[in-house]
Amino acid sequence: MYLLLDECCGKALVRVADAAGHTAQRTVAIGVLGGQAPDHDIFDFAQRAGAVFVTVNRGDFIEPAAKGRAHPGVPLIPSLPHTELRPLFEKVLAVAGPLIADPPNLFVEIDAAGVVTRFRLP
């Protein structure tokens, strides 16, 4: 799975994704996006690239999806220090991969307690 990590996701998550067999990049490492890219530019890039977009900013990406914008999938993770986030990120990646391979527009969310929920928008 090609993962595009929001700039709010730490660099260490790229290594976690790579170790799980995925290809991952942070938005800040992509020339056409860079730092402080507008959410709609990130959403458009992810859609064009077929990237599954990982973010802690739940509302920023639910709104465009709810308005009918198609996307390859969005894992939502909590904003936590890396030591707490790493096992949650590993868990959501293990769950999200097979689910996101199905029809598009799936959100897979994990909370700080490790509870995974999923929902599709639109």
Side-chain angles (χ1 to χ4, degrees), residues 1-2 4 39-55 58-76 96 99-109 118-122:
M1 185 167 41
Y2 172 38
L4 178 63
D39 294 335
H40 66 274
D41 288 352
I42 294 169
F43 201 97
D44 290 345
F45 179 87
Q47 185 180 26
R48 284 191 314 273
V52 171
F53 183 65
V54 179
T55 187
R58 186 181 203 279
D60 293 347
F61 296 93
I62 286 180
E63 183 180 331
K67 291 180 179 177
R69 302 278 313 274
H71 58 87
V74 180
L76 301 168
L99 293 174
I100 288 175
D102 286 337
N105 302 334
L106 182 70
F107 284 82
V108 179
E109 183 170 25
R118 61 182 185 216
F119 56 95
R120 213 172 283 288
L121 290 173

Side-chain angles (χ1 to χ4, degrees), residues 14 22 33 41 68 86-87 89 99 108 115:
V14 171
H22 303 290
L33 295 176
D41 288 352
R86 181 185 179 117
F89 187 55
L99 293 174
V108 179
V115 176

